[in-house]
Amino acid sequence: MARSAGWAAALAMMVAFVAQPISVSAQSTLAIFAIVVMAAIWRFASGALARTAFLATGSLVVLRYVYWRASSTLPSIDEPLSFVFGIILFAAELYCVGFLAINLVINADPLVRKAATVQSDESLPSVDVFVPSYNEDHSILAATLSAAVSLDYPRDKLTVWLLDDGGTNQKCNDSDRAKAALALQRRIALKAMCERLGVSYLTRERNEHAKAGNLNAGLNASKGEIVVVFDADHVPFRSFLRETIGYFAEDPRLFLVQTPHVFLNPDPIERNLQTFDRMPSENEMFYSITQRGLDKWNGSFFCGSAALLRRAALLEAGGFSGVTITEDCETAFELHAKGWTSLYVDKPLIAGLQPETFESFIGQRSRWCQGMFQIMLLKNPALKRGLAPIQRLAYLSSMMFWMFPLPRLIFMFAPLLHIFFDVRIFSSSIDETVAYTASYMVVNVMFQSYLFGRVRWPWMSELYEYVQGMYLLGAIVSVVMSPRKPTFNVTAKGLSLDRDHLSALALPFVAAFLLLASGVATAAYRYAFEAGTTNLMLVVGLWSATNLLVAGVALGVVAERGQADCSSRLDIDRTGTLSFADRAIDVAIHNVSASGCLIRTSETEALDQAAAAGSVGSLTVVALDGRPSPAPIAVRLVQPNGENDANGRALSFDQLQTEQYLGLAELMYGDGDAMTRFLASRRDRMTFLQATLQFILWGFEGPVRALLYWQRGRAAPPIAVVETRVEPANVAAPALASAGPIDEIEQDVMPSSAPSAPIIHPAFPACSREPMYDVWMQSMLALAAEELRKASDQDRAAGAALRVA
């Protein structure tokens, strides 16, 4: 009772302070004092109490601003147009303040987890690893599956499953015979690959309920106590299970252990602004801060991959939820409501791929946005029985985030109303604006830097929200109009951009830039030359100039740079033996990708002699912890280039056999700390001044580069190297229609002893511009076509009857 009374008294005092009428000069003094106190706390104090004092002090400045906006700046109701637009702008600001308040609660004290309990092999639970797939390339799947079967875990307790939704009976019986042939050929090839890797292959009758349905099919076919989910392009490091599995023994009600999604390649914004090696990725704020904040309140949720789930919990909930297109968050939502607990481990244990093109990036974010809105509309967290109040707030924070396109676009274009049409969207003197608005903005910058400075540069949130908001607004409207309409779309990955070009989605950004530029020019002219223009024109002019800067950087984002290297690299520190003909040379390996690696050796003369005798050889990786070395990797010596110094050479992986992917998994994913080191290398704080100068540079460079790309006429679509479509030119049109059931065809086509599959890779480090495919798969396509033709010739009538049946 006494504690509640204390909080009530503190709240009353705060409200009284916030609503206290004071002069503009007093407000300025108060704001400066608060900012100095915050700076002193930041500089000289640490710990939970200091963190709370910092956030509380800044919150008073924010609340003073909100009170001033509500009581003194709204347009008069006697001016209906100004009043309506003023209220819209104020509502957008209230959303931001409300989301900030929730963020401060959630992230006030992010949880740091202790290491998991170490268990003996005998006491470890059985594990099923699910790798759901739809249309990913053979080589991507080979890398992920090889790393999955190489996980540090007892072999008799680990089963890896490829859940292939690209080879379902529905797809193999598609009315389009070419599509059906390709689905069957994919199914045959992937089954053979799984057999050689020791992976269980599973497909299903129909593609129902998208990824959730695919995972549930795997759940029904398997028996492991723990289910691990990896997206097809999320490759686990060897230590993944050892770092995570022990938490399940500590809490019998634990249903989820989620780990961060970390990526080897830049997203389109990072690639086009060239920041990947020096700036934290956009998702790091969520995975390094917000998920830990949610974890404190038992609110961290399933993110679709890089996670472990307890089978008993999934069965209690009826499997993976599939009402919305974000089955991951929805599944966690249902299980939290049933009293199960979740846990977040802030250690990067997988390496994934991000969308390469701006178009696929927007498609991915549209699905996330629509899915979170579906959950909010169909399963409102505020009304969900079983959730604790703080869990409701946690889920609402994650869903409210996706409303950002509305306020972001309002802030971008609201000042144009006053510049062009003299609509007074707020009423204020220049002195009041400085005293209240400037201090509010400074405190906001301090909040962001204090909480997220290590993982988010200043200005980057504004940029990401703007470039997404231009297209996500339509996605929001569509799901609000019809919450059950959105469908699951697979995000394209592994694309290669063959040249510099403007994105197909660039037009709205060009139009917005020109509109804002005309607004800034108009504001400058009116303020300088038009009689009767007030200082409000100066304020909105500066505001619009800031928006123009963001729009200019966005043009640099949609001006897509050509990508010379299609394989993402990871810095490592490994050793191995390079063999050419009869020579064996000890080498150090410092850089690796899916297509090659960079080695260094003191035996350069021997290396050159071996290369002269024949550049094709093999690389045997020395395994860590005394493990046996995996199969050697076929390599080819690349001619020296700018990356090679006197002791270094680049090697490309030469037509890898499927089994050799086990060697690649050891080389690239054997050291679980490699990704941690990479993230740490780009997490130096960027000061606001440094970030602003960089942003201004981008703001000038972006429009120039976009104009150059347009002038060159390079608005060409990207070339996809991951999903090559091999037309079955020799397959007669009625071949599938007259063949028997799918399983029977598979038996006939599948050889009893399939040869090992070489997978062609581009030369390292450059990426070939021609679509490439697995040589073995091509031979299988020809074999399948021949067998299908035979089946057609021998039993056309019987096949037709079976098809009708």
Side-chain angles (χ1 to χ4, degrees):
M1 182 66 70
R3 185 176 182 180
S4 298
W7 278 109
L11 180 62
M13 292 173 61
M14 184 180 70
V15 171
F17 173 79
V18 167
Q20 187 69 28
I22 58 177
S23 66
V24 173
S25 60
Q27 167 63 26
S28 298
T29 302
L30 178 65
I32 292 172
F33 177 74
I35 290 170
V36 169
V37 169
M38 293 173 68
I41 293 172
W42 193 349
R43 177 67 177 83
F44 299 109
S46 60
L49 182 60
R51 192 180 182 91
T52 302
F54 179 92
L55 300 179
T57 303
S59 296
L60 290 176
V61 176
V62 173
L63 292 174
R64 283 288 302 170
Y65 170 79
V66 173
Y67 177 76
W68 168 73
R69 282 284 283 122
S71 62
S72 305
T73 67
L74 296 180
S76 171
I77 197 169
D78 296 331
E79 302 176 63
L81 188 63
S82 294
F83 179 75
V84 169
F85 283 112
I87 289 295
I88 291 174
L89 176 62
F90 184 52
E93 290 186 79
L94 285 181
Y95 160 81
C96 293
V97 172
F99 187 70
L100 172 64
I102 295 175
N103 246 330
L104 295 184
V105 172
I106 297 298
N107 297 309
D109 188 24
L111 185 62
V112 178
R113 287 279 178 183
K114 296 180 180 179
T117 301
V118 177
Q119 296 177 265
S120 64
D121 285 1
E122 292 74 20
S123 62
L124 290 172
S126 55
V127 173
D128 284 309
V129 175
F130 292 167
V131 179
S133 171
Y134 184 72
N135 60 358
E136 293 80 10
D137 178 64
H138 191 157
S139 61
I140 290 178
L141 290 172
T144 303
L145 294 172
S146 295
V149 298
S150 301
L151 288 169
D152 182 11
Y153 210 71
R155 296 297 93 190
D156 60 334
K157 295 188 176 184
L158 178 68
T159 306
V160 179
W161 296 80
L162 175 61
L163 308 180
D164 179 24
D165 248 12
T168 61
N169 287 355
Q170 176 186 351
K171 294 184 75 66
C172 291
N173 281 311
D174 194 286
S175 57
D176 185 324
R177 297 189 191 115
K179 290 182 179 179
L182 288 171
L184 177 59
Q185 291 156 359
R186 167 191 168 88
R187 178 163 159 172
I188 292 169
L190 291 183
K191 284 189 74 172
M193 179 185 72
C194 288
E195 182 178 342
R196 293 193 302 276
L197 289 176
V199 171
S200 298
Y201 175 90
L202 181 69
T203 190
R204 52 188 178 135
E205 182 66 30
R206 302 185 60 78
N207 298 79
E208 295 177 332
H209 304 295
K211 183 178 177 181
N214 197 12
L215 291 172
N216 284 329
L219 197 64
N220 293 334
S222 59
K223 298 179 180 179
E225 300 167 69
I226 304 298
V227 170
V228 180
V229 180
F230 296 124
D231 280 349
D233 54 7
H234 282 189
V235 187
F237 285 87
R238 177 174 165 79
S239 59
F240 182 92
L241 287 174
R242 294 291 184 181
E243 299 272 6
T244 55
I245 199 74
Y247 291 108
F248 286 98
E250 299 172 8
D251 180 4
R253 293 295 294 173
L254 179 66
F255 82 89
L256 169 72
V257 175
Q258 178 67 58
T259 69
H261 294 184
V262 187
F263 302 101
L264 285 174
N265 67 316
D267 68 26
I269 291 88
E270 293 170 317
R271 189 188 71 253
N272 295 327
L273 297 182
Q274 298 181 317
T275 63
F276 184 63
D277 293 330
R278 58 195 178 98
M279 183 185 79
S281 291
E282 182 226 13
N283 67 314
E284 289 184 49
M285 190 169 90
F286 173 73
Y287 282 111
S288 293
I289 306 294
T290 301
Q291 274 281 43
R292 291 198 293 119
L294 293 170
D295 193 23
K296 181 180 178 65
W297 309 110
N298 187 26
S300 60
F301 57 86
F302 179 33
C303 297
S305 180
L308 303 86
L309 300 102
R310 193 187 297 269
R311 176 181 294 273
L314 289 171
L315 293 179
E316 181 180 321
F320 293 89
S321 300
V323 175
T324 71
I325 57 175
T326 46
E327 81 297 326
D328 42 15
C329 183
E330 183 187 347
T331 299
F333 179 75
E334 294 293 345
L335 287 168
H336 275 134
K338 292 181 179 295
W340 290 87
T341 61
S342 64
L343 180 150
Y344 180 70
V345 177
D346 185 24
K347 182 171 183 179
L349 295 169
I350 64 103
L353 295 177
Q354 300 190 89
E356 287 84 358
T357 67
F358 185 72
E359 191 170 357
S360 58
F361 172 81
I362 291 298
Q364 179 193 65
R365 300 310 170 92
S366 295
R367 175 165 58 84
W368 294 355
C369 175
Q370 289 186 316
M372 296 303 272
F373 263 87
Q374 281 184 298
I375 298 175
M376 187 164 63
L377 294 172
L378 299 175
K379 303 184 175 186
N380 192 336
L383 306 176
K384 184 70 171 179
R385 296 183 61 182
L387 292 178
I390 191 66
Q391 287 178 311
R392 299 177 194 274
L393 192 67
Y395 274 105
L396 282 172
S397 73
S398 299
M399 295 167 191
M400 282 181 59
F401 166 78
W402 290 100
M403 294 177 65
F404 71 78
L406 295 168
R408 179 55 56 197
L409 296 182
I410 289 172
F411 296 151
M412 285 295 291
F413 301 109
L416 299 180
L417 293 171
H418 183 70
I419 293 172
F420 291 130
F421 308 110
D422 282 324
V423 176
R424 294 178 64 86
I425 51 180
F426 65 87
S427 301
S428 171
S429 68
I430 194 73
D431 293 340
E432 284 183 312
T433 300
V434 171
Y436 285 92
T437 305
S439 60
Y440 165 67
M441 293 174 65
V442 169
V443 167
N444 246 316
V445 169
M446 293 181 74
F447 273 160
Q448 294 298 320
S449 185
Y450 184 77
L451 293 174
F452 309 116
R454 289 180 57 252
V455 293
R456 177 67 56 85
W457 283 8
W459 294 101
M460 295 311 296
S461 290
E462 287 78 5
L463 176 64
Y464 270 92
E465 289 180 7
Y466 171 62
V467 298
Q468 294 178 80
M470 291 289 278
Y471 283 94
L472 295 194
L473 184 60
I476 292 173
V477 172
S478 68
V479 76
V480 170
M481 296 295 292
S482 182
R484 296 183 183 275
K485 185 177 179 179
T487 56
F488 190 101
N489 293 313
V490 178
T491 304
K493 304 283 183 67
L495 300 179
S496 175
L497 301 172
D498 66 330
R499 66 191 71 185
D500 299 336
H501 72 282
L502 278 179
S503 169
L505 304 184
L507 183 59
F509 297 96
V510 174
F513 178 81
L514 295 176
L515 179 62
L516 289 167
S518 65
V520 171
T522 301
Y525 176 83
R526 293 189 64 184
Y527 185 74
F529 302 109
E530 191 172 291
T533 301
T534 67
N535 285 332
L536 181 58
M537 184 62 70
L538 175 63
V539 173
V540 296
L542 292 173
W543 179 4
S544 199
T546 303
N547 291 338
L548 178 63
L549 177 64
V550 175
V553 181
L555 286 183
V557 169
V558 296
E560 304 220 52
R561 298 180 188 271
Q563 182 171 281
D565 188 350
C566 68
S567 296
S568 304
R569 309 186 197 180
L570 180 65
D571 288 332
I572 60 173
D573 185 15
R574 302 295 296 274
T575 58
T577 302
L578 179 62
S579 300
F580 281 103
D582 59 345
R583 300 297 298 268
I585 303 168
D586 292 333
V587 298
I589 310 165
H590 296 287
N591 178 297
V592 64
S593 75
S595 60
C597 63
L598 186 68
I599 63 168
R600 301 190 191 281
T601 179
S602 59
E603 301 182 54
T604 54
E605 183 177 349
L607 182 62
D608 292 339
Q609 290 175 358
S615 60
V616 178
S618 64
L619 176 65
T620 302
V621 182
V622 176
L624 299 174
D625 303 327
R627 302 189 302 270
S629 294
I633 306 170
V635 296
R636 183 182 297 274
L637 185 68
V638 177
Q639 293 302 316
N641 56 38
E643 292 197 41
N644 299 324
D645 61 23
N647 298 322
R649 294 291 187 275
L651 301 177
S652 68
F653 299 143
D654 190 60
Q655 299 192 19
L656 290 188
Q657 308 288 325
T658 296
E659 292 81 358
Q660 291 177 330
Y661 269 89
L662 298 171
L664 179 60
E666 171 60 43
L667 174 61
M668 198 165 182
Y669 306 105
D671 179 6
D673 293 326
M675 192 60 78
T676 300
R677 294 192 297 270
F678 168 66
L679 294 184
S681 70
R682 59 180 191 180
R683 284 190 174 177
D684 293 334
R685 284 183 181 271
M686 172 73 80
T687 67
F688 184 76
L689 178 59
Q690 290 173 314
T692 301
L693 292 175
Q694 173 68 85
F695 209 75
I696 291 172
L697 180 61
W698 285 334
F700 283 101
E701 183 264 350
V704 172
R705 189 157 51 83
L707 180 61
L708 288 174
Y709 290 3
W710 175 73
Q711 287 178 331
R712 294 171 186 169
R714 293 185 172 183
I719 292 178
V721 297
V722 298
E723 188 167 350
T724 306
R725 295 307 191 190
V726 182
E727 275 303 320
N730 297 323
V731 181
L736 276 179
S738 62
I742 295 297
D743 291 339
E744 292 181 15
I745 297 173
E746 229 178 302
Q747 287 291 329
D748 290 339
V749 174
M750 191 71 190
S752 58
S753 179
S756 187
I759 299 175
I760 307 297
H761 282 280
F764 178 84
C767 179
S768 170
R769 295 308 174 197
E770 295 298 322
M772 289 171 294
Y773 209 61
D774 180 298
V775 169
W776 176 84
M777 181 177 278
Q778 291 181 1
S779 67
M780 289 301 295
L781 301 185
L783 178 60
E786 180 64 28
E787 293 294 332
L788 289 172
R789 254 196 323 275
K790 289 179 180 179
S792 175
D793 294 338
Q794 293 174 359
D795 202 4
R796 184 180 301 272
L802 285 172
R803 182 170 62 89
V804 171

